[in-house]
Amino acid sequence: MAQNNVVASIGLPMKRRADDALTYAAPEVRRKISLAPPPLPKQTFKPEPALDAAEFDHILNIIGKVAVVFERNPSTFSKLGEEALRDNILVHLNGHYESATGETFNAAGKTDILIRSGEKNVFIGECKFWHGQKGYMETIDQLLSYLTWRDTKAAVIIFNRNKNFSEVLSTIREITEKHQNFKRALPPSEETSFRYIFRQNGDESRELHLAVLAFDIPTP
């Protein structure tokens, strides 16, 4: 690397449970993958570990499949609050990862979902019911306040209840790019899932991957 003070990210293989739960796991990502980082030239700094794209996708896939169960069973889940819905997601994340926790202190507050590898945070998620544009933008601000400079993968998980879901999705698409930390949009993986590159608070050069997942849980 040209400069010693350049901070790099290397792929961080995640340790999944040996008894990796089959429920909600996509077959193509159920296997345990361990990737060695490429050889690095001699340097005076240690690159920061970062969650690789495949593991990030796997985590989002688990969350998505659990939330689809919420959508398909409104009589069971419609009366649950944010914490109870979050706890259901955590149950299944813990079936795949040994270090998924909720209500964990990090930076300026307590995160809803935190996954660690050793002492490193590799994923942080925030769950919220949809309360309009203002509430959504405040949720992004809240999540960003929980991230340290070393955190580069995060997600906002939106639960919609008895609002026009198509309008909610349209609003997410329109206003996310107006956030002051927004840098660029990435191709969406699904109709209700969005991907963005944001900058860290206070550092224009430090980028993070932000996913926004929206789910409709109407009252029956």
Side-chain angles (χ1 to χ4, degrees), residues 82 108 110 112 126-147 155-158 171-172 175-176 178-181 198 201 210 212:
E82 289 173 5
K110 291 193 295 184
D112 277 340
E126 185 68 17
C127 302
K128 290 290 183 182
F129 279 109
W130 178 260
H131 292 299
Q133 296 186 24
K134 183 175 183 293
Y136 171 67
M137 296 296 266
E138 288 174 350
T139 298
I140 295 178
D141 289 338
Q142 181 180 0
L143 178 61
L144 292 175
S145 74
Y146 294 161
L147 304 180
V156 173
I157 302 156
I158 296 293
T171 300
I172 290 173
I175 69 172
T176 304
K178 296 179 181 179
H179 193 279
Q180 61 182 359
N181 289 45
F198 270 51
N201 283 339
L210 176 68
V212 179

Side-chain angles (χ1 to χ4, degrees), residues 87-198:
D87 289 346
N88 272 274
I89 292 173
L90 279 172
V91 166
H92 295 285
L93 286 173
N94 271 301
H96 293 257
Y97 300 100
E98 297 177 346
S99 55
T101 61
E103 292 295 314
T104 307
F105 281 103
N106 197 65
K110 291 193 295 184
T111 65
D112 277 340
I113 298 173
L114 175 64
I115 299 179
R116 284 179 169 150
S117 177
E119 297 300 316
K120 300 292 184 181
N121 300 335
V122 294
F123 176 84
I124 292 177
E126 185 68 17
C127 302
K128 290 290 183 182
F129 279 109
W130 178 260
H131 292 299
Q133 296 186 24
K134 183 175 183 293
Y136 171 67
M137 296 296 266
E138 288 174 350
T139 298
I140 295 178
D141 289 338
Q142 181 180 0
L143 178 61
L144 292 175
S145 74
Y146 294 161
L147 304 180
T148 70
W149 184 86
R150 303 177 193 280
D151 300 326
T152 61
K153 300 290 193 306
V156 173
I157 302 156
I158 296 293
F159 303 124
N160 178 60
R161 183 166 286 168
N162 295 334
K163 302 292 192 300
N164 185 313
F165 193 44
S166 293
E167 288 186 4
V168 170
L169 297 175
S170 178
T171 300
I172 290 173
R173 281 190 292 267
E174 291 174 5
I175 69 172
T176 304
E177 298 186 10
K178 296 179 181 179
H179 193 279
Q180 61 182 359
N181 289 45
F182 170 84
K183 297 193 74 171
R184 62 187 180 275
L186 300 175
S189 56
E190 296 180 12
E191 188 177 7
T192 64
S193 176
F194 309 91
R195 302 287 187 96
Y196 303 98
I197 298 296
F198 270 51

Side-chain angles (χ1 to χ4, degrees), residues 57-107:
D57 288 343
H58 184 70
I59 291 169
L60 298 178
N61 185 56
I62 294 169
I63 295 171
K65 288 186 178 297
V66 175
V68 166
V69 175
F70 298 164
E71 292 180 331
R72 292 175 178 173
N73 298 274
S75 60
T76 301
F77 297 101
S78 64
K79 295 181 180 180
L80 298 185
E82 289 173 5
E83 289 188 7
L85 293 172
R86 184 274 318 276
D87 289 346
N88 272 274
I89 292 173
L90 279 172
V91 166
H92 295 285
L93 286 173
N94 271 301
H96 293 257
Y97 300 100
E98 297 177 346
S99 55
T101 61
E103 292 295 314
T104 307
F105 281 103
N106 197 65

